[in-house]
Amino acid sequence: MFRARNLFVLTCMAVFLLLGGSAAAQQHAGLRTIVIDPGHGGRDPGSMHGNVYEKDIALAVSLMLGRMIREQMPEINVVYTRTTDVFVPLAQRGRIANDAKADLFISVHVNAVRGTAPSGALTLIMGREHEERNLDMAMKENDVIAFEEDYTTTYREYLSGSSEMFIIYSLTQYVNIEQSIVFANMVQNRFKTSTPMPDRGIRRQPLLVLWHTTMPGVLVELGFINNDHDRRLLTSERGQRQMATAIMEAVREYKERIDERIAAGFPPRVSQANETPVAVVPTPQAPPVTVGPPPAVSPAPPRATVGAPDVIYRVQILSALRRIASNSTEFKDYRGQTIERNDDGRYRYYVGERHTYGEAQELLEVVRRSFRDAFIVAFRGSTQITVSEARKLTE
């Protein structure tokens, strides 16, 4: 009876949280507010090596990151969980992000392990992995609650270690998990290409600071404080600027992807369709619509005599900072059939050419068997226009 009642309560909570999360996602159009969370602070130094403290590195990089975003993307509102060396409880950090109605949460930390060999940056998202050794990092970050007064009451569900506790907190991040994976991929790609810090990939961890937020979020481990190479980089102004710049560029890329979808008339959710696959972070796959590969993109049907003759619709399948060869396997079944467009250094790839929105929708259904986040774009001549504007001209 007791277990049945618990299951009922959990089910109700799941429905409430998922519907609430969906409503919140609908209200947030675009990337407008980012909360930057410098890890630790005050009486909680975080990881240490001699007189080098994690809390100081995290604060310096976070403040630098916030200044860069404000200068280069002034349309984004930047909120910090702390701007000085003060202690902020984990639950309060989440409340700050929720109260700010943030669209993205970035928690900045520095890693530490026994020994000096491990090196490199990694990004964590909320979740749980099967390997017990991967929980060491989560325990290190979560154990800062011991610095809080009456933490046994505030975090009694977490301290119980029950599976119900994990389910409850996981539900608050369920609707945001794929977005978090997308942004985490972007961060790690930037670390790999723009900094001398080795790439350690992405991992899932049951982190309290992310459980308390209701938006996509990541926890970035900039490097290892007990590794000589990492520590020298992270304690230098140049190294801190490199790390902050990498995260800022990931924010810019994430925002561009969202803006592209909004301009095309789609919800702002983005996917990792053109990101490097990460084995430790499996993403749910949509069930196949049909068996076998999708058919090749057929030529455009003869156009009707009505509407604007120079308006066409295409389906965008990929967007990348680097050029992709036309025969690349990244295009899956559409190798050799893509149309490339370069705007401001970003390459976008389309398939098909249709003269009406209805025909474009039919093409989109086929293309989404291979690229589930493909979407329709419209052009008038060589200029991209919104889909709604194109429909006014062609319908």
Side-chain angles (χ1 to χ4, degrees):
M1 181 69 178
F2 178 73
R3 292 183 62 85
R5 185 176 62 185
N6 280 351
L7 180 61
F8 174 76
V9 171
L10 284 171
T11 303
C12 291
M13 288 187 67
V15 173
F16 173 77
L17 288 168
L18 291 178
L19 292 178
S22 299
Q26 292 173 354
Q27 294 171 359
H28 284 68
L31 185 59
R32 300 177 299 184
T33 300
I34 295 176
V35 169
I36 301 175
D37 171 47
H40 307 278
R43 60 182 180 271
D44 169 24
S47 301
M48 298 177 286
H49 184 90
N51 61 350
V52 178
Y53 301 112
E54 176 183 2
K55 66 176 182 177
D56 298 328
I57 297 173
L59 182 59
V61 173
S62 294
L63 294 177
M64 201 174 287
L65 170 62
R67 286 194 298 269
M68 290 178 179
I69 293 174
R70 284 173 171 168
E71 290 170 1
Q72 301 188 38
M73 291 173 276
E75 68 276 17
I76 294 180
N77 177 37
V78 175
V79 177
Y80 298 94
T81 58
R82 69 181 180 98
T83 56
T84 59
D85 185 19
V86 296
F87 178 76
V88 182
L90 290 183
Q92 185 177 335
R93 295 170 191 260
R95 283 196 296 270
I96 291 172
N98 296 338
D99 291 345
K101 294 181 171 57
D103 304 295
L104 183 64
F105 181 83
I106 306 172
S107 191
V108 180
H109 291 251
V110 180
N111 217 335
V113 292
R114 291 189 181 91
T116 60
S119 171
L122 63 89
T123 302
L124 306 177
I125 60 171
M126 213 290 295
R128 173 178 283 177
E129 290 181 0
H130 297 299
E131 298 180 35
E132 290 300 321
R133 62 184 177 84
N134 288 334
L135 294 179
D136 292 343
M137 205 174 312
M139 292 172 63
K140 176 176 71 72
E141 299 298 353
N142 290 342
D143 282 350
V144 302
I145 62 176
F147 288 92
E148 302 180 26
E149 296 179 3
D150 197 24
Y151 71 91
T152 56
T153 300
T154 304
Y155 303 101
R156 59 182 176 273
E157 294 91 350
Y158 162 70
L159 293 171
S160 72
S162 67
S163 58
E164 287 87 352
M165 169 276 300
F166 182 79
I167 293 171
I168 291 171
Y169 280 111
S170 295
L171 287 170
T172 65
Q173 274 287 318
Y174 179 82
V175 295
N176 299 310
I177 198 68
E178 187 173 3
Q179 296 294 86
S180 299
I181 294 172
V182 169
F183 181 65
N185 263 304
M186 293 175 177
V187 171
Q188 284 303 128
N189 285 339
R190 292 293 179 170
F191 283 153
K192 183 167 55 178
T193 59
S194 305
T195 79
M197 192 67 74
D199 171 31
R200 296 184 69 88
I202 299 168
R203 298 180 188 177
R204 296 179 187 263
Q205 301 291 355
L207 298 164
L208 280 170
V209 72
L210 297 181
W211 273 341
H212 284 94
T213 59
T214 57
M215 73 287 304
V218 300
L219 187 151
V220 179
E221 297 277 10
L222 299 173
F224 287 80
I225 201 169
N226 48 323
N227 178 276
D228 292 342
H229 167 269
D230 291 11
R231 187 175 60 257
R232 281 195 297 268
L233 183 71
L234 296 177
T235 53
S236 69
E237 182 179 354
R238 179 184 180 186
Q240 292 173 358
R241 185 169 299 278
Q242 285 179 314
M243 302 304 288
T245 301
I247 301 173
M248 186 272 297
E249 289 298 335
V251 170
R252 189 199 303 278
E253 183 180 2
Y254 184 68
K255 182 179 185 302
E256 287 177 355
R257 293 272 292 276
I258 290 175
D259 290 346
E260 285 177 5
R261 291 187 60 83
I262 293 174
F266 282 81
R269 183 179 65 85
V270 296
S271 78
Q272 55 179 5
N274 69 321
E275 303 298 335
T276 304
V278 181
V280 297
V281 189
T283 56
Q285 298 295 318
V289 178
T290 60
V291 177
V297 178
S298 59
R303 79 171 325 277
T305 56
V306 296
D310 56 347
V311 172
I312 59 172
Y313 297 91
R314 294 190 175 109
V315 174
Q316 180 170 324
I317 59 173
L318 288 179
S319 172
L321 292 173
R322 57 180 174 82
R323 189 171 191 177
I324 305 174
S326 61
N327 64 344
S328 171
T329 56
E330 291 188 55
F331 294 129
K332 301 180 182 179
D333 296 285
Y334 298 101
R335 296 169 63 182
Q337 302 181 56
T338 57
I339 301 165
E340 179 186 278
R341 182 182 174 95
N342 186 354
D343 292 318
D344 300 324
R346 175 172 287 277
Y347 294 90
R348 295 174 175 83
Y349 295 91
Y350 314 95
V351 294
E353 182 174 305
R354 297 293 184 265
H355 300 299
T356 70
Y357 183 68
E359 294 167 353
Q361 283 185 308
E362 292 176 0
L363 174 61
L364 179 64
E365 290 181 7
V366 175
V367 174
R368 279 188 170 171
R369 299 173 194 173
S370 296
F371 297 91
R372 60 183 176 138
D373 286 291
F375 56 93
I376 298 171
V377 294
F379 297 89
R380 186 169 192 179
S382 61
T383 304
Q384 184 171 349
I385 60 177
T386 65
V387 172
S388 58
E389 182 180 355
R391 294 185 68 181
K392 291 177 182 178
L393 295 171
T394 57
E395 296 178 1

